[in-house]
Amino acid sequence: MIDIDGYLAVLGVDRPAAPTAEALWALHRAQVERVAYETLDNQLGRPTGIGAAESVARILRGRGGYCFHLNGAFAALLEALGYDVTLHRAGVQDEVEDPAGPGGDHLALTVLLDGERWLVDTGLAGGMYEPLPLCEGSYVQGPFTYAMAPSTVVPGGWRFTHDPRGAFTAMVFAPEPVPLSSFAAKHAHLSTSPESGFVRVFQAQLRDAKGVDMLRGCVLRRIDAEGTDERTIDSADDWYDVLADVFQLQLSDVDAAERAELWHRVHAAHQEWEAAEGR
């Protein structure tokens, strides 16, 4: 069981009377606006599991997560509200589809609504603002243009292509339903391996109707119709202010010593990156 009313309170959405399209769109927009894509616990060395109840509890205490947490929690909420939700094995990919298919580093959701199936994904790192139909074409959401097309590799699968300014190129998902538990091994690797980008580099992203805010290490970017605004955060106080003010991340469970250590790691990684780039 999950705390449905508590979850809806975080999203600022009233409990819908029925599982309608209007309610689904409102829930999706609210989740990507209010619940950040973030890897904070990985950098703290205390990653949580991906069970739906545990991920919902993360959200209720003012945190977010990445796809397994965000979409796992959102799927549980939608199911509790009466939606027909399917979890899919997915993978973030480059311009050319991987012939092996989706690698399982992403959890995608679809919802069957009034006979039509929709991609519903609140864990795409600043991607979709609203659901997209499983129908080939281009779709504009705010300043970004996305594409949907059948996978050229996975029979019955679909490929989402991000806007060129997005944090990744594309995402492919297979049609078969899978349980949330099937992502446990991949999550363990992504959240604990020294080779994982989710461990090496802090990331936070939050989408809204007009654009996306992205924090990677110490670099804060705002991407919208006006272009890209970028600045480097130079102090721990400013960095933590950005987490709270821009990404709505509440860190009441992180003590002063952990904050100092986390900033040291993030800042050191940024300095290494600058040195490698010759800046």
Side-chain angles (χ1 to χ4, degrees), residues 135-139 146-149 158:
C135 182
E136 185 168 6
S138 295
Y139 301 90
Y146 308 126
M148 289 293 295
W158 284 86

Side-chain angles (χ1 to χ4, degrees), residues 213-222 229-233 242 246-247:
D213 293 295
M214 307 168 64
L215 179 62
R216 182 175 175 84
C218 297
V219 179
L220 177 65
R221 294 184 179 91
R222 170 69 184 180
D229 180 68
E230 178 179 306
R231 66 185 177 98
T232 298
I233 312 299
V242 165
V246 177
F247 298 98

